Amino acid sequence: MKHRIVVLGAGYAGAFAAGNLARRLSPSDIEITVVNAVPDFVERMRLHQLAIGQDLALRKLADVFAGTGVRLRLARVTGIDPERRTVAVTGEDGDGELAYDTLLYALGSSVAHHGVPGVAEYTFDVTGRSSALRLRERLSGLGEGGTVLIVGEGLTGIETATEFAESRPDLSVALAARGELGAWLSPKARRHLRRAFARLGITVHEHTGIEAVEPARAIAADGTSIPADVTVWAAGFAVHPIAAAGGLEVADTGQIVVDGTMRSVSHPDVYAAGDCVYAIGENGRPLPMSCASAGFTNMQATAAIIARLTGSEVPTTGLKYYGNHISLGRRDAIFQMVDRDVRSRSWYLGGRTAARLKSGVLKGAGWGVAHPTFGMPKRKRRLATAPDRAGVRVAA
């Protein structure tokens, strides 16, 4: 019987991981199934562009995995049972169950409401394609002078605000920040960011925590009312509670607690990658939810899975966070390096050069997903075997 590998999620982490596993392991020994709720690959890093009216190329997952040997199951994951090694799903074919021998959990994250009244009912977000398209439709109906408020001063909030202001100069765009705008950046990069906001006419409400959202305004902690025809919530991410509900050990964030190889500390047949993993970086701190972290963790998870299945020594991938790359519209960006303690270095790259670099990163990630196996090699690794607890020989 073939060793069954099930990958949950086909985002940046899941799609890359499935392709890497298919490229390096023999199809005579394994079968790989990817479970994803939607038929297309979602370029999450570019959803703010989609929301403001720019068109993104659609990549059908069926085409992405065609000829790779990877099976695609279009369904939503509703639960996992790591004791029985099964995943519950629901889709067009109804409810079902998938059995696995090795599970790679890469379901990512969604917007975090933080329990703020009105967020679920009245705000928009750019954490998924459907939500970005919903926002796109709303923005297309806003005429000149329409007001848009982005809540959150992180990377998503900054990129969304600048993209909207550049693409729709007829709108009045504002950003609400709990602290100082770009506080984590070096002084020079912070000045660059502020110049970009001034150039684009973005109003910044610093030290302004939003405590409630209503249909046409947001209310700050001090009672200040900020008018907004559209409020975009970009105040953080949250993971789905499926992992915790299934009995996997999770952190307070709900992320799966793993060892240095991205293997669950409570269930050794489960690995995790991307936003849903609680992984400790080289500096002793949890990796942030980011595309860069998705790359590090999926490479480590797949390398560990392949090594253990083939009886090889498990390699380790450096989990070092190098910095932030922030788009400021299509023609400007900031690349800020950080030190071991995630403090900004004095050097940064800005302007068109940084924008071209960011564009190259996005195109490279898109190409990698479109070519998940990077060309199928003729020689693939066979699985080793070892007795399991019951004495039956199974893949190691």
Side-chain angles (χ1 to χ4, degrees):
M1 182 177 178
K2 293 184 178 182
H3 188 93
R4 300 160 298 183
I5 301 176
V6 174
V7 180
L8 304 184
Y12 290 105
F16 279 127
N20 197 20
L21 292 167
R23 182 170 66 91
R24 297 173 62 187
L25 293 173
S26 172
S28 300
D29 298 334
I30 64 163
E31 61 179 38
I32 302 170
T33 301
V34 174
V35 182
N36 203 60
V38 296
D40 307 310
F41 171 71
V42 177
E43 288 189 88
R44 184 166 176 176
M45 291 190 292
R46 298 181 64 189
L47 287 179
H48 55 290
Q49 295 175 240
L50 180 67
I52 200 58
Q54 300 172 30
D55 293 325
L56 306 182
L58 277 179
R59 292 184 173 88
K60 294 289 184 183
L61 290 173
D63 296 334
V64 166
F65 293 121
T68 66
V70 176
R71 302 178 181 182
L72 175 64
R73 176 71 179 269
L74 293 178
R76 181 171 56 85
V77 178
T78 57
I80 60 172
D81 187 338
E83 305 303 329
R84 294 176 54 238
R85 296 182 184 175
T86 59
V87 177
V89 299
T90 185
E92 293 182 354
D93 299 329
D95 297 340
E97 193 173 77
L98 292 173
Y100 66 84
D101 298 301
T102 297
L103 180 71
L104 178 54
Y105 190 109
L107 288 179
S109 63
S110 58
V111 65
H113 293 166
H114 301 301
V116 176
V119 170
E121 297 86 355
Y122 304 121
T123 70
F124 298 80
D125 66 80
V126 290
T127 59
R129 181 176 174 82
S130 60
S131 58
L133 288 174
R134 175 173 164 262
L135 174 55
R136 177 179 176 136
E137 182 179 4
R138 178 69 180 95
L139 291 172
S140 68
L142 281 185
E144 183 174 356
T147 55
V148 179
L149 174 67
I150 290 89
V151 180
E153 70 273 29
L155 305 187
T156 302
I158 290 173
E159 292 196 336
T160 301
T162 51
E163 195 76 47
F164 285 14
E166 180 181 87
S167 299
R168 289 287 305 274
D170 59 311
L171 298 178
S172 176
V173 178
L175 182 142
R178 278 192 173 274
E180 179 186 349
L181 179 66
W184 73 94
L185 296 171
S186 64
K188 290 182 179 179
R190 195 179 312 141
R191 288 195 292 270
H192 186 114
L193 177 64
R194 289 185 175 277
R195 286 196 299 268
F197 267 59
R199 170 172 53 82
L200 294 168
I202 302 170
T203 301
V204 181
H205 302 278
E206 293 185 310
H207 306 290
T208 303
I210 301 301
E211 297 295 322
V213 179
E214 296 180 357
R217 66 172 183 167
I219 302 172
D222 63 1
T224 300
S225 176
I226 304 174
D229 296 315
V230 175
T231 299
V232 181
W233 195 258
F237 305 112
V239 299
H240 200 284
I242 285 177
L248 294 173
E249 183 173 335
V250 299
D252 292 341
T253 57
Q255 295 168 294
I256 298 171
V257 180
V258 296
D259 62 16
T261 68
M262 302 303 114
R263 194 182 203 179
S264 166
V265 297
S266 61
H267 294 80
D269 302 308
V270 178
Y271 293 77
D275 284 356
C276 60
V277 63
Y278 187 81
I280 304 301
E282 292 182 0
N283 59 6
R285 301 180 182 181
L287 289 178
M289 294 185 185
S290 70
C291 185
S293 297
F296 298 146
T297 55
N298 103 71
M299 286 190 293
Q300 179 60 74
T302 53
I305 291 171
I306 292 165
R308 290 191 172 111
L309 291 181
T310 58
S312 306
E313 183 178 351
V314 179
T316 56
T317 300
L319 300 178
K320 182 178 180 181
Y321 198 73
Y322 291 95
N324 298 313
H325 204 160
I326 315 165
S327 293
L328 304 174
R330 296 299 85 213
R331 296 179 294 276
D332 193 6
I334 291 173
F335 183 56
Q336 175 69 71
M337 298 289 288
V338 299
D339 63 16
R340 179 178 175 83
D341 295 319
V342 200
R343 293 176 301 195
S344 294
R345 298 182 183 274
S346 60
W347 178 88
Y348 88 101
L349 181 66
R352 288 182 179 271
T353 301
R356 285 193 291 268
L357 179 59
K358 179 64 177 286
S359 177
V361 169
L362 294 174
K363 289 178 180 178
W367 187 93
V369 168
H371 304 81
T373 57
F374 297 94
M376 303 286 281
K378 295 181 179 179
R379 186 176 181 181
K380 299 188 178 184
R381 301 175 67 178
R382 299 297 302 270
L383 269 60
T385 57
D388 68 0
R389 295 173 184 171
V392 179
R393 295 186 70 79
V394 296

